[in-house]
Structures are given as structure tokens and as C-alpha cells.
Amino acid sequence: MNDQQQELRRMFEKFYQRVYQTAFYVVKDVHLAQDVLQETFIKAFRHIERCPEGEQAGAWLATIASRTAIDFVRKQSRRPAVPLDTAIIEANAMRREVASSVERQVENAFTVEEVLRKIDTLRPKARSVAILKFLHELKDDEIAEALDLKVGTVKSRLYRVKKELRLSMQRKRMMNSASL
């Protein structure tokens, strides 16, 4: 194996899970997510000269995965959604948790899980923007460039997503307090 092949292999191993999660969040199908994963790395390796260094490579790959997944969704007839894999939800919840108390960590895990479920119900265009913003922590201009959108379009989609999430959380709190 030559040096370039070894480097591509390391890149694949390092970002495999991130690319797969991005694909899965958009297509909601294990097998289709694997197809998107494969197609993403094929596209990335064809244009490896454009790949940024370090952790930015992960964001670059996630962007390619998101766009590829959206293309797959457009091409496929609408399939019933597969529920999010709990392992993915737990991994993202644990990664984001910063609270020190066990009670706070559990509460955060439930909140993150609820937000991820809500993101899962969004239309593909809104879902891809939300995934890139909240899971991959890209800036609005990076999302716009990645999805070939105007920054204003990204901001308006994010505004609507945040508004929906806020309303959903408020409804849940009201239901919880009413049941007490």
C-alpha cells in the first residue's frame, strides 16, 4: 500500500462514524445510509485535493454526506422512516453533556434525545441544515457554502427549526407540569 492509500484509509477510519451518522439522519434507512457513506467517500477521494486539513476534513466530509443523502432522498420514493438508533442518540447526548451532577446529565440526555427526535421529523432540507448546525457545529456561512444556499436561506431555515424546537419543548413542559 502506498502512502496516499494509507492516508485515505486513515481518513476513512477517522471519519467513518461521523459520515454515517450524517447520512443516517437524512435518509433514515440503515442500508441507504451505507450507500450514501460509500458514495460520499468515493466523491471525497475523487476530489481529495480540495480536502482541508485536520478536523475541517470531517466537516468537509459531513457536508458531502449531507448533500449526497439529500440527493438520494430526492431519487428514492418516499420510504417509511426508520426510528433513530438509540446508540447514536446516546453517543451524541454523552458528547454534548457538560453538567457534573448525575441528575443534570440524565436530564440533558433526555433533552438531547428529544431534540434529535424532533430533528428527525423535519423535512430533508430543514433537517440537513439542522444537522450541520447542531451536530457538526458549522457556521451559517459554512452551511450555506456546503449546501449551495444563500446565507439568508440558511438563517431562515434555522430560525424556523429553532422556533419549532422551542414550541415543542414548551408543550412538553406544559404537559409535564399538568400531569403533576
Side-chain angles (χ1 to χ4, degrees), residues 12 38-39 59 137 164:
F12 177 81
Q38 182 178 6
E39 186 65 27
E137 301 172 354
E164 253 184 85

Side-chain angles (χ1 to χ4, degrees), residues 129-141:
V129 170
I131 288 168
L132 292 174
K133 182 67 172 184
F134 303 125
L135 297 178
H136 297 292
E137 301 172 354
L138 295 182
K139 296 176 184 168
D140 294 352
D141 58 332

